[in-house]
Amino acid sequence: MKKTLFSVVALLLFAGSAGAVDEISVTAQDQKAVSVTIYNKNLALVKDQRTITLPRGVQTLAFREVSAQIKPETALMTGGDLRVLEQNFEYDLLSPQSLLRKYVGREVTLVKRHPTTGEEQSTPAKVLSAGDGVVLQVGNRIETEVSGRLVYPDIPDSLRERTNLTMQVDSGRDGAREVELSYLTGGLSWQADYVAELNGADDRLNLSGWVTLTNESGARYPQAKLQLVAGDVHTAARDMAEPQVMMKRAMAVGMAPAPMAEEAMFEYHLYTLDRPTDIGENQKKQAALLQADNVTCRKELLFAGQNSYYGAQVGEIGRKMKAGVFVELKNDKESGLGLPIPGGVVRVYKKDSNGFLQFVGEDRVDHTPEKEVVRLHLGDAFDVVADKRQTDFKKIKGNGPYNSIFESAYEIQVKNAKKEQVVVRVQEPLPGDWEILEESGPHRKESAQIASWQVVVPAMESASLTYRVRVKY
């Protein structure tokens, strides 16, 4: 039905719910407590405690104010002497389009306004179709592209104003009892975000952690007990969730008390907010996670090469290549942390000469257990660049790409336009079986295929690294 054709008005001839009259409504007013356990991507466990009053025998309960993205196959109700016989997820929601569809073949009232007098005129009409537009039978005429509005005598029982979970239960007695409805739902997620402030020497930082949770489930959870599960939880046959790992103990060197209590749970970590909180519908909420001050770190400038030019004659490799800027810290108590850190984005700031914080870069970190290293790539240096060239190349042995021996030499000139000395790391991935034949400074073998050099460059000057390598394929 085109919105420009007519508006729809429902005239209710009876008060009360849109559901069946023999249902017993269980609403938010009956709610005693609710807890929400949230995973990272679109998955949460809701435990909703409500008090219900019902007579003995088989009854139909309609749980209102449940998540619109509930996974009904996961719903479980416990408490009292109730026996669940059947349950249905009612998501045929009331809207102008759904109401019109329910009235196909039935009579409504078409109200039009006289173009001259403005007087409203009401005419009985039968809805013939509500597919691509509306088709009405008005007297002996068939009308489409109708202008005006429709008035309906009632709302069909199958239409709901909100999603409902209905359960047919067998009650062994009359009276009130407390029950708990638990279910998994989509539409709830959380992520970790961090803010780090570097000191003037770039060797210490203050780290703040925040949890940002998003509720798009179609329901609100007032005064909820909030818990977060951190870890890579697997769900069968669905791309449902990739929960992430959170932080650990309340106190470490320079740390403030954590607002979330942590405990190990299976192969994950469970975090509980220390107070109830309202989780509003269509809301983003942030809660403090940690505060760690004076954490030891180090800055590194890095030139990372490639392994493609060790088997070919290439000459000039690059000019004014920029050094990558990294900040690295060890996640241990000696450094001021010692926490299981969940994956998230770390945003780094530093004060300028006037004392104002300036943004200097951000990076995403993966889940980092205690005693592992957190490494942040913040950007590329402005004042530290390098020119790199191949100064010699020859093939010692072989006619093809394999069973060959190559010997080549390289010069990397690092230029420092800063007013202080810098130390840069030159990292070269070397293919095949390799051997450094000559070098202007000692290398370190980081792995089977990586060699690196530390190059000290004085303020406003340049320094060169040269090396010759033999590679066997």
Side-chain angles (χ1 to χ4, degrees):
M1 182 179 67
K2 296 181 178 179
K3 293 182 180 179
T4 57
L5 299 183
F6 57 84
S7 61
V8 180
V9 175
L11 179 61
L12 301 181
L13 300 183
F14 60 92
S17 166
V21 296
D22 57 346
E23 289 180 350
I24 299 174
S25 293
V26 186
T27 68
Q29 283 69 38
D30 304 312
Q31 194 174 74
K32 298 303 178 184
V34 61
S35 65
V36 182
T37 303
I38 306 179
Y39 303 84
N40 182 252
K41 289 187 178 179
N42 201 30
L43 186 67
L45 171 64
V46 176
K47 290 176 282 187
D48 190 343
Q49 296 178 12
R50 303 190 187 189
T51 299
I52 59 175
T53 302
L54 66 165
R56 180 192 300 267
V58 176
Q59 312 293 334
T60 299
L61 302 179
F63 282 88
R64 304 185 185 279
E65 291 90 22
V66 298
S67 168
Q69 297 191 41
I70 184 176
K71 303 182 185 307
E73 68 275 11
T74 69
L76 174 66
M77 187 179 70
T78 58
D81 57 349
L82 296 179
R83 186 164 63 95
V84 180
L85 306 177
E86 182 181 298
Q87 67 183 34
N88 300 284
F89 180 49
E90 311 286 353
Y91 57 90
D92 196 2
L93 300 183
L94 177 63
S95 68
Q97 292 76 21
S98 64
L99 186 58
L100 184 62
R101 287 194 300 269
K102 293 294 182 182
Y103 266 83
V104 172
R106 299 176 61 185
E107 189 172 279
V108 297
T109 300
L110 174 62
V111 180
K112 293 185 177 183
R113 188 178 296 276
H114 193 278
T116 303
T117 65
E119 182 181 354
E120 288 191 340
Q121 299 174 334
S122 300
T123 307
K126 184 177 182 180
V127 181
L128 300 181
S129 176
D132 185 13
V134 63
V135 180
L136 299 179
Q137 180 179 348
V138 184
N140 294 324
R141 305 187 313 275
I142 305 298
E143 293 194 16
T144 63
E145 303 292 327
V146 182
S147 62
R149 70 180 190 273
L150 298 181
V151 178
Y152 298 84
D154 58 30
I155 296 178
D157 291 341
S158 60
L159 288 181
R160 310 276 178 161
E161 72 279 7
R162 293 181 70 95
T163 53
N164 280 238
L165 183 67
T166 62
M167 290 187 174
Q168 190 179 71
V169 299
D170 188 1
S171 174
R173 61 178 175 85
D174 296 330
R177 75 284 313 275
E178 287 192 3
V179 299
E180 181 179 272
L181 176 65
S182 62
Y183 56 86
L184 292 175
T185 178
L188 283 158
S189 62
W190 71 271
Q191 67 180 34
D193 290 279
Y194 307 92
V195 174
E197 180 185 344
L198 279 169
N199 67 356
D202 298 332
D203 60 1
R204 300 269 179 175
L205 59 80
N206 298 334
L207 181 66
S208 301
W210 290 84
V211 168
T212 302
L213 63 91
T214 303
N215 178 18
E216 297 176 343
S217 67
R220 60 185 297 267
Y221 308 93
Q223 290 297 289
K225 177 183 178 182
L226 175 63
Q227 295 181 296
L228 307 173
V229 171
D232 295 320
V233 177
H234 179 260
T235 55
R238 291 189 182 95
D239 185 14
M240 287 293 303
E242 295 177 6
Q244 298 179 347
V245 181
M246 297 237 18
M247 317 243 171
K248 203 175 177 183
R249 299 176 179 80
M251 296 296 291
V253 177
M255 292 191 64
M260 288 192 175
E262 180 271 341
E263 62 180 286
M265 191 273 295
F266 192 56
E267 294 301 318
Y268 316 121
H269 287 270
L270 179 67
Y271 294 81
T272 304
L273 190 65
D274 59 1
R275 64 192 183 280
T277 185
D278 291 322
I279 305 174
E281 185 176 352
N282 294 323
Q283 180 189 65
K284 283 186 179 290
K285 177 182 287 290
Q286 284 193 312
L289 180 64
L290 67 86
Q291 177 67 46
D293 295 333
N294 209 31
V295 179
T296 302
C297 66
R298 72 179 187 92
K299 182 178 72 175
E300 181 180 71
L301 301 178
L302 174 68
F303 289 105
Q306 300 178 4
N307 63 8
S308 58
Y309 37 75
Y310 287 96
Q313 185 169 328
V314 294
E316 187 175 278
I317 297 172
R319 296 182 64 84
K320 294 184 180 178
M321 299 184 301
K322 296 180 179 180
V325 182
F326 294 82
V327 169
E328 187 174 281
L329 56 97
K330 190 170 183 181
N331 183 19
D332 58 15
K333 291 182 175 60
E334 291 75 14
S335 300
L337 279 176
L339 313 164
I341 297 179
V345 176
V346 182
R347 295 171 178 88
V348 183
Y349 297 81
K350 184 175 179 176
K351 289 180 180 178
D352 61 20
S353 59
N354 294 316
F356 297 110
L357 280 177
Q358 303 294 343
F359 177 67
V360 297
E362 68 179 19
D363 199 6
R364 181 175 296 278
V365 297
D366 202 352
H367 318 321
T368 307
E370 187 175 353
K371 297 187 177 181
E372 292 296 321
V373 171
V374 177
R375 186 171 172 83
L376 308 173
H377 181 199
L378 301 184
D380 294 325
F382 185 94
D383 291 318
V384 181
V385 297
D387 296 336
K388 184 175 183 178
R389 65 192 182 99
Q390 186 185 68
T391 58
D392 191 20
F393 177 82
K394 55 185 175 182
K395 190 171 188 178
I396 306 299
K397 177 183 176 182
N399 297 317
Y402 303 105
N403 298 319
S404 298
I405 301 176
F406 300 96
E407 186 177 306
S408 53
Y410 302 87
E411 180 186 24
I412 302 172
Q413 186 180 43
V414 183
K415 304 173 184 178
N416 176 22
K418 297 169 69 71
K419 295 180 180 179
E420 65 268 3
Q421 173 183 289
V422 298
V423 178
V424 301
R425 180 160 67 102
V426 176
Q427 185 184 72
E428 287 293 319
L430 298 167
D433 297 329
W434 55 272
E435 179 186 3
I436 302 293
L437 303 177
E438 299 173 6
E439 55 188 336
S440 58
H443 74 278
R444 183 170 74 91
K445 188 173 182 179
E446 295 186 10
S447 69
Q449 292 192 330
I450 294 180
S452 67
W453 292 263
Q454 297 288 333
V455 181
V456 179
V457 190
M460 307 297 292
E461 294 187 18
S462 64
S464 292
L465 167 69
T466 60
Y467 65 95
R468 180 178 293 271
V469 61
R470 179 174 294 169
V471 175
K472 299 178 182 179
Y473 289 94

